[in-house]
Every structure is written in C-alpha cells, then in structure tokens.
Amino acid sequence: MSRSRRSLLTSLLGLSLASGPARAAIDSITVDARSPVSSATLKGRTPAAPWNATNSVEVLFHYNLDSATTGYVAVFTGVPPNPSHTGLETVFEISDEGPGKGAKRFSVLCDGKSAKYEIKRIKVALMTKGPVGPVTLATKFLDVDYTFQCRGTNPTPSAPVK
C-alpha cells in the first residue's frame, strides 16, 4: 500500500474514532426533600380547599431532561401498597431541556369514602408528551409514611328500615 493511501486511511480512521458513537440521552429525576418529612399526619384535601402545608406534601427535586425539549414532573400516590383512592397533584411543567429543579405538591381527595388514607409509597416521574399519550423518561419510587385525615366523611346511607 502506498504511503499516501496509508496516510489517508489513518486520517479517516482518526476522524471516525474522534467523532465516537452518538451519546445516549440521559434523563434523570432525584428527590431532594419532602415537606413535611414522613411520618406526618395531614388533612386530606377537598376540591375547594387551597393547597397548603396542612393538606398536602411538597416534593423538592432536581432533574435532567435530555431526550426531549419539554416535559413535566408528576407525583403519583396510586401505587401499591397504597389503598384505592383519588390522588391529587399540582403540575410542574418543564419548558427547556437540560438540568433544572423544582417543587410540586400532592395530596388525596376527601370524597366521603374513607375517614383516612395511609400513603406508604409514592412515584416521582419525569415525563413528556408522546404522540399517543404520556411517556415516562425517569422514575423514582420512595417509601413514605403519610396519613391523610378526611373529616366529615359521608358514607353511603343505608336503606330505610321498614
């Protein structure tokens, strides 16, 4: 092989190695703190009540959104071993890719079905909107101990006695 041809091949090989393989997207979510910390007892939330420290938990987190240009963070309480209930959350929208941090709240809806809900696990997810619905990019499960008290429950009335 001629010297000029070998030099050209060596140069091409060097360029291809320098460019390297494409870097895979790295999406992540990390929970930094919760307020209040567990164990805690809170009031459950009614639809008309404002979000506050007595009826919801604030989750502080940081994230890296690498595979999409926009996204959001969600906290889910509807995971085992939690009882069946209606979870409530605020929305944390992400408008730019890259690293960031934020806070969002979650609670349970007092719907008259139960006097209290024991929340033992939450799922914190970094998500984006896909062509057919939500897409989860990164997830953290946390074991917690929150009791949400629902005062004034309204059980289903029994049939009148004849």
Side-chain angles (χ1 to χ4, degrees):
M1 179 180 299
S2 73
R3 177 176 257 176
S4 62
R5 192 171 206 175
R6 192 172 335 146
S7 179
L8 176 64
L9 285 174
T10 303
S11 297
L12 288 174
L13 178 62
L15 286 174
S16 66
L17 289 175
S19 65
R23 182 179 65 83
I26 302 173
D27 298 307
S28 64
I29 184 79
T30 302
V31 175
D32 300 318
R34 294 179 313 275
S35 180
V37 295
S38 58
S39 302
T41 299
L42 302 150
K43 297 177 189 174
R45 212 169 152 271
T46 60
W51 291 92
N52 62 45
T54 66
N55 66 11
S56 60
V57 177
E58 183 176 52
V59 178
L60 305 173
F61 53 86
H62 68 272
Y63 61 86
N64 186 53
L65 178 62
D66 199 31
S67 66
T69 56
T70 62
Y72 58 98
V73 174
V75 177
F76 299 97
T77 58
V79 295
N82 298 340
S84 177
H85 68 284
T86 302
L88 298 172
E89 65 179 52
T90 56
V91 175
F92 185 85
E93 295 283 340
I94 301 170
S95 58
D96 294 313
E97 64 185 316
K101 60 184 176 178
K104 65 184 306 314
R105 290 191 168 277
F106 73 89
S107 188
V108 299
L109 176 64
C110 288
D111 55 8
K113 294 179 183 174
S114 180
K116 72 178 184 175
Y117 296 98
E118 300 281 340
I119 302 301
K120 298 295 184 186
R121 183 166 250 217
I122 61 172
K123 177 174 116 175
V124 182
L126 174 62
M127 304 177 79
T128 192
K129 296 173 185 158
V132 293
V135 175
T136 301
L137 303 171
T139 303
K140 288 286 184 209
F141 285 93
L142 298 170
D143 291 329
V144 297
D145 185 13
Y146 292 110
T147 301
F148 288 90
Q149 299 282 348
C150 291
R151 304 207 192 320
T153 58
N154 185 15
T156 305
S158 57
V161 178
K162 293 184 182 179

